[in-house]
């Protein structure tokens, strides 16, 4: 709202000063280039550029070629723009471009015409219709995901687009699209949104009529959209439902009259509203569903809580109801956090019809006003740690209703289908997650592709069936099964896994789902570890920010999903200590064997019982960690753990010696020897031992005596090492010292291309996955009491994958800020 100020009333003879005369001109953003203005920066990094403007003011001017646009960066001012100034600031150039596709329907109309059309359409989205829509959403999702097959590679963005399109078609239109129409719609959308943004930046509208490639593709996309809508609106199924008197959106529109003329709405009006619902109700929802699956792949603890809540309030096989959805409070928080972090609309525009005041700023008539929901939702002032995925920020209504959260807009133009969209997100996600465990392909991640929408592209998964043995098809308690493997780990649980034993392997009590790790536990453990590392002299306070960017606690969270308290602290401290040691070998110790031995030999000697007082922070910390690891463990465990720590630590001077002598991988050191070094140097063997320590019990001696377990442990270490090599490849290649990286070794040894070497490593991970699952099945059959340990080896590899795909440790800094 316009700020109210106290004013002294002047004499009648004095002219009243204009409020606009006292308002400030918005500042101009720095960095404008001659002729281009800020267009290059906006096109190069739209989200980064728009997010950077808030530091210059609540409204900031930018230049796009010859045009000046005001960017509104303050959430309160955006709310004012959309609510108090809605009449004076109608939609802008970006939306105007879409009139070619959407006509003058609800999306594009203004004023009384918009109010009249909204009043006609509103019954289609009334609360009394929601139960019917939920049933259709549930049925469509079950049918769609029922067509998936185990192991097939799915393009998630494409699948979610098809799912969202089918839900809209059958819910609102009572129609079914052919598969060809669905594919055509999916292919046309990118050209539609690209054309929208490019044409909105033209200095003159007439350029949109030139036969430029982008214009031709845009026009072709509009024609495809019209054909698809014709099939939905005028197809046999839609006409049959209309004849039955059932309340589809076209039937509602055809039965209405235009208040302005008193005549029935035309077929052009029906088409316009239908196109609006297809365009607005498909891409944004499908994009959000893609980001939702991407975030759950990287946060298995969140997925576990969502599934637990679904088990409690929406049992498998039941049709969702509005009351059931209202009880899914944590799931709603997850979807809200996805929408916050990945707002579908990168930016929207309004145009000032008359001079207006926006807070303290004067906005002349004719000014285009731009705002970015993504930038607003990633404002660190309103959302601490804005790039972190933290569903707990929405607990107890912590974010709902605040003016900084505007995913569906505000005021008279607020999205009419908001309730429909929230329900669709929940029902579709529940249908996918109940039946399938998505496992991302190695290296596959959703990436932001920005036009007017922030699309999610690049995520490919292989669906793995959930355990269907429990009643209703719902999954077993989380303690009775392994956690879901992380993205791309190549670790795919078999659908033929034997059922879990009847008791908890840690307490011998009846099996029951452990509560998920409380929000903030991992972050608190990371804080305690940082204090420990500084107190022990391992790091200086100045080194902490870069070190904390590695997010080592997240690796532990993924790899040991049930660990709490002091055991969690032990894991984070051990991993942190080993990482600090490993970083030392990026320097001269990695190339000079004498320095390497000076660092490592005292650590190994301590394992052999050397009681020499520690003379360095590294050794002093190691003594404390070894005491914490071995406390209360059996002599057999201590001997095994000491032996495997020796093998791990000895790889550092061994690699330094190879570098000094020039016998680096593929230049004197063969692939098999390289893999043996890498297998032990990865620290996976010690962590497989700590798995027993933090679980409070040791795996059966008979299990440890099995040759098959030795092969499984080797496969576990190799798979984690190879996954690490895939993600650290670019960083290690740029190091001065020769890297012990399997991809580089293969490339040199075989003289093959980089892509072929990467493919060979991925194939090896897949082979290790298959062998490991066969070994687990065999060992679980013969040693059911050790199932928890066998499952733990899977979780270790999954944790490595989840972490390596997101950590800053392997980023190659090139002067640009890169989001994790």
């Amino acid at each position: 709202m316009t700020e109210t100020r106290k004013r002294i009333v002047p004499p009648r003879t004095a002219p009243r000063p204009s409020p606009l005369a006292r308002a400030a001109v918005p500042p101009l953003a720095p960095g404008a280039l001659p002729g281009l203005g800020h267009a290059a920066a906006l096109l190069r990094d739209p989200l980064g550029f728009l997010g950077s403007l808030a530091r210059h003011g609540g409204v900031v001017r930018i230049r796009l070629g010859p045009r000046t646009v005001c960017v509104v960066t303050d959430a309160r001012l955006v709310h004012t723009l959309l609510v108090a100034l809605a009449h004076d600031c109608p939609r802008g150039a970006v939306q105007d471009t879409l009139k070619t596709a959407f006509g003058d329907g609800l999306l594009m109309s203004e004023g009384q015409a918009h109010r009249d059309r909204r009043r006609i359409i509103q019954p289609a989205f009334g609360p009394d219709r929601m139960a019917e829509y939920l049933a259709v959403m549930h049925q469509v999702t079950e049918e769609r995901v029922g067509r998936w097959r185990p192991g097939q590679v799915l393009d998630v963005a494409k699948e979610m687009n098809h799912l969202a399109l089918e839900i809209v078609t059958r819910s609102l239109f009572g129609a079914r699209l052919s598969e060809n129409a669905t594919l055509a719609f999916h292919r046309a959308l990118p050209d539609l949104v690209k054309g929208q943004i490019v044409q909105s930046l033209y200095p003159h509208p007439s350029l949109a009529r030139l036969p430029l490639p982008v214009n031709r593709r845009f026009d072709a996309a509009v024609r495809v959209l019209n054909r698809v809508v014709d099939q939905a609106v005028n197809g046999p199924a839609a006409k049959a439902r209309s004849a039955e008197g059932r309340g589809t959106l076209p039937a509602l529109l055809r039965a209405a009259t235009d208040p302005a003329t008193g005549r029935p709405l035309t077929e052009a009006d029906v088409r316009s509203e239908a196109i609006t619902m297809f365009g607005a109700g498909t891409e944004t929802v499908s994009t959000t569903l893609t980001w939702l699956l991407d975030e759950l792949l990287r946060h298995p603890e969140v997925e576990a809580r969502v599934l637990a809540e679904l088990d409690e309030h929406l049992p498998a096989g039941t049709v969702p109801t509005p009351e059931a959805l209202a009880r899914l409070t944590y799931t709603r928080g997850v979807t809200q956090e996805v929408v916050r972090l990945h707002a579908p609309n990168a930016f929207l525009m309004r145009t000032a019809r008359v001079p207006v005041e926006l807070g303290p700023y004067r906005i002349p008539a004719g000014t285009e006003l731009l705002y970015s929901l993504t930038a607003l939702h990633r404002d660190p002032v309103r959302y601490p740690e804005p790039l972190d995925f933290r569903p707990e920020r929405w607990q107890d209504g912590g974010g709902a209703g605040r003016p900084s959260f505007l995913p569906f807009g505000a005021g008279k133009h607020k999205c009419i289908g908001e309730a429909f969209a929230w329900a669709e997100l929940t029902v579709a996600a529940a249908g996918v997650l109940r039946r399938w465990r998505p496992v991302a392909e190695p290296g596959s991640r959703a990436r932001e592709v920005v036009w007017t929408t922030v699309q999610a592209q690049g995520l490919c998964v292989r669906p793995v069936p959930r355990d269907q043995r429990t009643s209703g098809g719902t999954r077993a308690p989380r303690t009775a099964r392994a956690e879901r493997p992380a993205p791309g780990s190549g670790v795919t649980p078999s659908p033929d896994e034997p059922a879990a034993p009847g008791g908890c392997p840690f307490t011998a009590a009846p099996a029951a789902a452990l509560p998920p790790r409380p929000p903030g536990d991992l972050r608190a453990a990371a804080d305690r570890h940082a204090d420990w590392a500084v107190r022990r002299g391992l790091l200086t306070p100045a080194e902490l920010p870069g070190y904390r960017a590695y997010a080592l606690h997240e690796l532990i969270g993924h790899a040991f999903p049930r660990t709490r308290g002091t055991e969690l602290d032990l894991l984070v401290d051990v991993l942190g200590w080993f990482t600090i040691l490993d970083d030392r070998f990026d320097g001269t110790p990695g190339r000079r064997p004498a320095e390497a031995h000076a660092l490592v030999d005292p650590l190994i000697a301590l394992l052999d019982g050397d009681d020499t007082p520690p003379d360095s922070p590294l050794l002093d910390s190691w003594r404390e960690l070894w005491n914490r690891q071995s406390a209360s463990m059996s002599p057999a465990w201590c001997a095994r753990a000491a032996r495997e720590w020796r093998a791990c630590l000895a790889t550092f001077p061994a690699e330094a010696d190879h570098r000094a002598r020039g016998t680096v991988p593929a230049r004197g050191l063969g692939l098999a020897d390289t893999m043996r070094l890498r297998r032990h140097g990865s620290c996976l063997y010690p962590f497989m031992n700590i798995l027993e320590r933090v679980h409070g019990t040791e795996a059966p001696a008979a299990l440890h005596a099995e040759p098959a377990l030795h092969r499984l442990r080797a496969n576990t270490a190799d798979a984690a090492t190879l996954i690490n090599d895939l993600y650290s490849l670019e960083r290690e290649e740029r190091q001065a010292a020769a890297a012990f990286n399997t991809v580089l070794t293969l490339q040199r040894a075989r003289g093959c291309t980089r892509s072929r070497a990467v493919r060979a490593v991925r194939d090896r991970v897949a082979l290790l996955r298959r062998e490991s699952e066969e070994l687990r099945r065999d060992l679980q059959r013969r040693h059911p009491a050790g199932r928890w340990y066998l499952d733990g080896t899977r979780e270790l590899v999954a944790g490595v994958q989840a972490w390596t795909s997101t950590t800053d440790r392997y980023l190659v800094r090139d002067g640009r800020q890169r989001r994790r």
Side-chain angles (χ1 to χ4, degrees), residues 774-792:
E774 291 171 2
L775 290 167
R776 284 192 190 94
R777 282 196 295 271
D778 178 55
L779 289 167
Q780 287 169 3
R781 179 178 55 81
R782 290 185 286 113
H783 301 279
R787 178 191 173 94
W788 62 270
Y789 180 81
L790 300 170
D791 285 347

Side-chain angles (χ1 to χ4, degrees), residues 153-172:
V153 178
L154 299 173
D155 181 332
V156 176
K158 178 179 176 181
E159 283 297 318
M160 294 303 102
N161 186 275
H162 287 193
L163 175 59
L165 179 61
E166 196 167 350
I167 286 175
V168 167
T169 305
R170 287 172 57 178
S171 297
L172 299 180

